[in-house]
Amino acid sequence: MTIGSLQKSLADFAAEREWEQFHTPKNLAMALAGESGELLEIFQWLTPEESSAVMEDPVRAPQVREEMADVFAYLLRLADVLDLDLEQALVEKIETNHRKYPAHLARGRADKYTQLGG
Amino acid sequence: MTIGSLQKSLADFAAEREWEQFHTPKNLAMALAGESGELLEIFQWLTPEESSAVMEDPVRAPQVREEMADVFAYLLRLADVLDLDLEQALVEKIETNHRKYPAHLARGRADKYTQLGG
Amino acid sequence: MTIGSLQKSLADFAAEREWEQFHTPKNLAMALAGESGELLEIFQWLTPEESSAVMEDPVRAPQVREEMADVFAYLLRLADVLDLDLEQALVEKIETNHRKYPAHLARGRADKYTQLGG
Amino acid sequence: MTIGSLQKSLADFAAEREWEQFHTPKNLAMALAGESGELLEIFQWLTPEESSAVMEDPVRAPQVREEMADVFAYLLRLADVLDLDLEQALVEKIETNHRKYPAHLARGRADKYTQLGG
């Protein structure tokens, strides 16, 4: 399914339940952050190595999948309510980051672009 | 662009900078939650009405767009690293929610499905 | 109880369970953010008015209390592990904010200090 | 300073700026989560070992201190607005956790209490 058709499904779902009243941008941003927090909790005590193998864990794998679907749902819903083109926003962001983080300066460094010098 | 091609762009961007070492699922889940927190900060003092008009605000509109692109970027990157099909996960989630939140019980109520009775 | 004695209780609790291995600053920052996310979820669909009356709600009041205790626990534990004086840090922050947000400029405005002019 | 006197300072600060109108429990919960997100961002790319040495890093140490003060400020302010005794809530939580996580079952395990068996 495309992003547009997923957004349509989510909008219909909300409309059928008269949930548009709850779906202000403010509330959706909260719901998005809340679901991101639940995703975080799955990973919080894992070592880096355990986190890399999380999809082989029969308990955690479906939890990760479900929390990521929840984050995605609220992100798409928020974009829809704001009439914001998420794919276009990301394309532009990637272009900006190509300028902010030149490969030869950023190589192997996790620093913010303001600290890259250059 | 499709989700697959956006993920390819993000993966190339990381590879060119030798950033795969930082992109463990644990770290990406943290980055996703951090960006969700920045999105939250834009909305935190707004009334519901102000939040609904946020895209007409010349200062906040581009901030919202940028933070949502960041959230989307880390969500796609995390799904890629985990080899998880985000669209399929969301389709399944919507199907599950159709069962959990029957329209006639959930109408106009923001309660969790466990409180819907039925 | 003082902050110091609460930190001692939390440290003993962790030591008795051999949980110090999990309590790196990184992991504790994740746990703190995760609990903040749970707190957020209680409020996400409430109107401002409903949120102000949340402690009169017999279902939500104990949830709020519990999530705030969890946030406080991880904040105190993180400060302890980092050997950081939380009260002193806050006293200094309040002093800084008195300079950044002069009352006559900030009155009735939720703007960030960088936008206050003056 | 005690928690009560810190809360008094924060309440006076808000009152002098006529910020009580912004300090609904909902908005304060958002601000708390937003600051937790900023704390998270400091740690997101660090290894466990780097995170343990973060207070020796001259750039990150003051950032950690500042973000933790911000989290603490909003947590205290929220507790004050809700008229909730944070220390008492934590004392009760620790007592509950002594029952939920018996030392002999929880030793060396990061599992949730529901998975401890016993």
Side-chain angles (χ1 to χ4, degrees), chain C:
Chain C
M1 281 176 100
T2 65
I3 282 186
S5 59
L6 286 165
Q7 286 177 315
K8 176 80 168 61
S9 290
L10 293 165
D12 288 347
F13 190 88
E16 287 158 16
R17 282 150 193 80
E18 296 173 14
W19 282 357
E20 291 107 330
Q21 59 185 309
F22 303 118
H23 287 191
T24 62
K26 178 170 177 139
N27 291 0
L28 290 167
M30 292 178 77
L32 174 61
E35 298 297 343
S36 303
E38 290 193 43
L39 186 64
L40 213 51
E41 292 182 336
I42 302 173
F43 290 103
Q44 68 195 8
W45 308 126
L46 302 189
T47 63
E49 295 71 30
E50 288 166 343
S51 96
S52 293
V54 74
M55 297 313 283
E56 297 158 37
D57 180 324
V59 173
R60 291 193 182 95
Q63 294 172 342
V64 168
R65 190 176 169 87
E66 193 169 338
E67 298 307 338
M68 288 186 68
D70 283 337
V71 171
F72 194 31
Y74 284 122
L75 182 66
L76 291 182
R77 186 81 187 108
L78 179 55
D80 192 22
V81 164
L82 295 173
D83 199 18
L84 184 155
D85 184 333
L86 205 52
E87 286 163 298
Q88 183 55 27
L90 181 49
V91 167
E92 289 169 22
K93 182 82 193 193
I94 293 172
E95 284 167 11
T96 305
N97 280 348
H98 270 280
R99 286 194 301 278
K100 276 185 175 172
Y101 296 91
H104 69 288
L105 291 178
R107 188 159 293 135
R109 299 175 56 184
D111 299 301
K112 208 171 174 174
Y113 69 93
T114 47
Q115 297 181 297
L116 287 184

Side-chain angles (χ1 to χ4, degrees), chain B residues 41-57:
Chain B
E41 291 182 337
I42 302 174
F43 290 103
Q44 66 195 7
W45 308 127
L46 302 189
T47 63
E49 296 70 29
E50 287 167 344
S51 97
S52 293
V54 76
M55 297 313 283
E56 296 158 36
D57 179 326

Side-chain angles (χ1 to χ4, degrees), chain B residues 13 21-22 25 30 38 42 48 53 58 71 80 83-84 91-92 101:
Chain B
F13 190 87
Q21 59 185 309
F22 303 119
M30 291 178 78
E38 291 193 41
I42 302 174
V71 171
D80 193 20
D83 199 17
L84 182 154
V91 168
E92 289 169 22
Y101 296 91

Side-chain angles (χ1 to χ4, degrees), chain B residues 39-115:
Chain B
L39 185 64
L40 214 51
E41 291 182 337
I42 302 174
F43 290 103
Q44 66 195 7
W45 308 127
L46 302 189
T47 63
E49 296 70 29
E50 287 167 344
S51 97
S52 293
V54 76
M55 297 313 283
E56 296 158 36
D57 179 326
V59 174
R60 291 193 182 95
Q63 294 172 343
V64 167
R65 191 177 169 86
E66 194 169 338
E67 299 307 339
M68 287 186 67
D70 284 337
V71 171
F72 194 31
Y74 284 122
L75 181 66
L76 291 182
R77 186 80 187 110
L78 178 56
D80 193 20
V81 164
L82 295 174
D83 199 17
L84 182 154
D85 184 332
L86 205 52
E87 286 163 298
Q88 184 55 28
L90 180 50
V91 168
E92 289 169 22
K93 182 82 193 193
I94 294 172
E95 283 167 12
T96 305
N97 280 349
H98 270 280
R99 285 194 301 277
K100 276 184 174 172
Y101 296 91
H104 69 287
L105 291 178
R107 188 158 293 135
R109 298 175 56 184
D111 299 301
K112 208 170 174 174
Y113 69 94
T114 45
Q115 298 181 295

